[in-house]
């Protein structure tokens, strides 16, 4: 029997019902999904065609309140929590801080062969549950002592320094570019790597680019090729921002040259900037690439270039990801930090420093400055 503490400090029963044998993981998930009436007309207002259309418009805006990847992650978090509750004969609705405290404790110290989650993953799960409860009209108070105290203990006992992905430095990027074929697919991948590096872009930002403004409804920005370089207008987490990518010192490593070559030979003048290529490699299709292609491209070219040969293949592939391009720019650009911060779209310099894998440490010697 699972027990916790109620608000008076006395034990309260969470579940006294034996869980059903081998429950269907998908059972009841539709019942727990956000309902369409989460955004609807108030009961005292009569329906009409115009108001019904406004309701649909509001629901459409609500569906775009977060990115597709974020919504998928939150939906998965809720499904996992709902299944955890059913396995213990509990109901996830309405929210119970006592129950959620037990849940995150089980994530941090699970029984059996279940993998232990990191502190960051547990906090992400909590964010997903908070969003899911909010969509159902049940705000979750994460400051409740049954949640906050357990989470504080998990942080204190299990927190570890964040595992950072390896930065792709300019010399690494040159080796990776040399592994690409000299065909249409190679032109595209070369442009993606160089634009991603020079722009300090996330992999989702790379593939969301369109050729022009408002080319597609799912575009996340567009590119404008100017005399001095490429101007990207991107829709980020906190709004729109501009990213300037200047021309390089040689055509082999110039992101602007690589992009113009790809657009010319792929005959792209409208729609998504980076699209799939036909099986024979002779024609660009209109299908936008997913951000997973960027991750696969980085890992494949890292492997083909033989970076970090002292590591095993599994260790090497785990060390690099889409963020390696952003970290590479932050670690390599010998300019004032505020310019790197602006390029990456960070709100604080501290966040930018997290991406800098190599920088001049101890440049300012406060020990000597203090007279020691």
């Amino acid at each position: 029997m699972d027990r916790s503490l109620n608000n008076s400090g006395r034990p309260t029963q969470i579940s006294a019902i034996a869980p059903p044998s081998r429950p269907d993981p998908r059972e009841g998930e539709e019942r727990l999904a956000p309902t369409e009436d989460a955004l609807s007309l108030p009961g005292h207002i009569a329906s009409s065609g115009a108001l019904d259309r406004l309701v649909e418009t509001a629901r459409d805006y609500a569906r775009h309140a977060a990115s597709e990847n974020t919504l998928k992650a939150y939906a998965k978090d809720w499904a996992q929590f709902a299944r955890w509750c059913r396995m213990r004969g509990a109901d996830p609705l309405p929210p119970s801080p006592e129950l959620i405290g037990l849940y995150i404790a089980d994530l941090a110290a699970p029984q059996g062969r279940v993998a232990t989650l990191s502190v960051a993953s547990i906090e992400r799960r909590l964010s997903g549950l908070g969003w899911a409860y909010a969509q159902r009209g049940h705000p979750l108070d994460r400051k409740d002592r049954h949640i906050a105290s357990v989470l504080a203990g998990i942080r204190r006992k299990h927190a570890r320094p964040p595992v950072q992905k390896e930065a792709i430095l300019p010399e690494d990027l040159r080796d990776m570019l040399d592994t690409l074929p000299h065909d249409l697919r190679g032109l595209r991948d070369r442009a993606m790597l160089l634009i991603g590096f020079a722009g300090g872009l996330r992999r989702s930002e790379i593939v969301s680019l369109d050729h022009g403004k408002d080319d597609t409804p799912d575009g996340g920005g567009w590119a404008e090729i100017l005399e001095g370089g490429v101007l990207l207008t991107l829709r980020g987490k906190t709004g729109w921002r501009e990213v300037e990518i200047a021309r390089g010192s040689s055509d082999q490593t110039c992101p602007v040259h690589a992009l113009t070559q790809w657009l010319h030979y792929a005959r792209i003048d409208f729609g998504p900037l980076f699209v799939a290529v036909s099986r024979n490699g002779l024609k660009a299709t209109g299908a936008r690439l997913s951000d997973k292609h960027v991750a696969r491209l980085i890992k494949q070219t890292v492997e083909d270039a033989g970076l970090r040969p002292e590591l095993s293949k599994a260790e090497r592939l785990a060390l690099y990801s889409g963020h390696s391009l952003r970290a590479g720019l932050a670690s390599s650009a010998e300019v004032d930090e505020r310019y790197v911060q602006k390029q990456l779209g960070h709100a604080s310099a501290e966040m930018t420093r997290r991406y800098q894998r190599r920088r001049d440490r101890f440049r300012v010697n406060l020990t000597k400055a203090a007279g020691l």
Side-chain angles (χ1 to χ4, degrees):
M1 180 182 300
D2 294 330
R3 292 182 177 271
S4 182
L5 296 177
N6 59 22
N7 291 333
S8 63
R10 297 190 300 271
T12 183
Q13 180 173 303
I14 294 299
S15 171
I17 304 175
S21 59
R22 310 295 291 183
D24 183 357
R26 299 179 183 177
E27 180 185 350
E29 286 181 9
E30 292 185 0
R31 177 175 62 87
L32 297 173
T35 57
E36 284 297 317
D37 59 3
L39 287 173
S40 59
L41 285 174
H44 62 278
I45 296 180
S47 176
S48 68
L51 288 177
D52 288 343
R53 286 191 294 272
L54 281 178
V55 169
E56 289 302 319
T57 301
R59 288 174 179 173
D60 183 63
Y61 280 129
R63 284 189 287 267
H64 290 83
S67 70
E68 182 179 354
N69 287 341
T70 299
L71 293 178
K72 286 181 179 179
Y74 284 171
K76 185 176 181 181
D77 292 339
W78 177 260
Q80 290 169 334
F81 174 63
R83 185 176 187 274
W84 183 91
C85 290
R86 288 195 303 274
M87 293 290 290
R88 288 153 182 81
D91 195 329
L93 288 172
S96 166
E98 297 93 337
L99 185 63
I100 294 176
L102 295 178
Y103 174 61
I104 62 176
D106 193 32
L107 297 178
Q111 299 179 357
R113 298 183 179 180
V114 181
T116 301
L117 293 189
S118 66
V119 175
S121 296
I122 293 174
E123 291 178 333
R124 212 291 310 282
R125 290 276 183 98
L126 275 177
S127 298
L129 295 184
W131 176 88
Y133 276 122
Q135 300 307 303
R136 293 160 177 81
H138 297 285
L140 176 64
D141 183 11
R142 289 184 55 173
K143 294 182 180 180
D144 184 283
R145 63 190 179 91
H146 296 93
I147 300 175
S149 59
V150 174
L151 184 59
I154 291 173
R155 288 183 182 134
R156 188 176 183 87
K157 188 173 182 179
H158 298 292
R160 297 289 185 273
V163 178
Q164 294 183 321
K165 296 297 182 180
E166 187 82 356
I168 292 176
L169 302 177
E171 54 270 25
D172 300 327
L173 185 58
R174 293 189 187 96
D175 292 339
M176 293 164 63
L177 295 175
D178 288 341
T179 68
L180 296 174
H182 296 282
D183 57 7
L184 197 58
R185 186 175 286 106
L187 287 176
R188 179 200 64 194
D189 291 346
R190 183 173 283 101
M192 293 178 70
L193 289 175
L194 286 169
I195 289 291
F197 179 91
L201 305 181
R202 301 174 179 87
R203 64 185 193 182
S204 59
E205 292 174 333
I206 297 173
V207 298
S208 70
L209 287 169
D210 283 346
H211 186 276
K213 182 181 179 182
D214 299 328
D215 277 2
T216 65
D218 63 335
W222 64 92
E224 185 180 1
I225 299 179
L226 305 174
E227 183 178 352
V230 175
L231 178 63
L232 304 180
T233 304
L234 296 168
R235 180 172 57 208
K237 295 181 178 180
T238 58
W240 292 93
R241 64 188 179 96
E242 290 185 344
V243 174
E244 300 175 3
I245 300 180
R247 296 183 182 274
S249 55
S250 68
D251 287 347
Q252 286 72 26
T253 57
C254 175
V256 184
H257 177 77
L259 180 60
T260 54
Q261 290 287 295
W262 157 246
L263 295 178
H264 172 72
Y265 287 104
R267 299 181 180 179
I268 294 176
D269 56 10
F270 183 84
L273 211 59
F274 296 112
V275 297
V277 175
S278 61
R279 288 181 178 271
N280 59 13
L282 300 178
K283 182 180 179 181
T285 70
R288 186 190 303 275
L289 293 174
S290 74
D291 60 343
K292 293 180 180 179
H293 175 83
V294 180
R296 290 193 296 264
L297 172 62
I298 290 173
K299 291 180 181 295
Q300 185 61 55
T301 51
V302 162
E303 179 66 19
D304 293 343
L307 303 186
R308 299 295 299 272
E310 73 277 8
L311 301 178
S312 67
K313 180 179 179 179
E315 292 172 331
R316 185 162 51 249
L317 295 183
L319 202 56
Y320 293 90
S321 73
H323 264 55
S324 296
L325 293 176
R326 285 167 63 80
L329 178 72
S331 304
S332 306
E334 300 291 340
V335 296
D336 193 292
E337 192 176 74
R338 68 178 186 271
Y339 296 115
V340 179
Q341 179 183 340
K342 179 179 182 295
Q343 191 81 340
L344 298 184
H346 288 154
S348 67
E350 180 59 33
M351 178 58 71
T352 302
R353 294 187 190 106
R354 296 181 187 178
Y355 283 77
Q356 294 174 327
R357 303 296 188 264
R358 66 175 191 185
R359 62 175 185 265
D360 294 334
R361 299 185 183 276
F362 311 113
R363 182 176 56 185
V364 178
N365 191 328
L366 294 180
T367 306
K368 291 184 178 179
L372 298 180

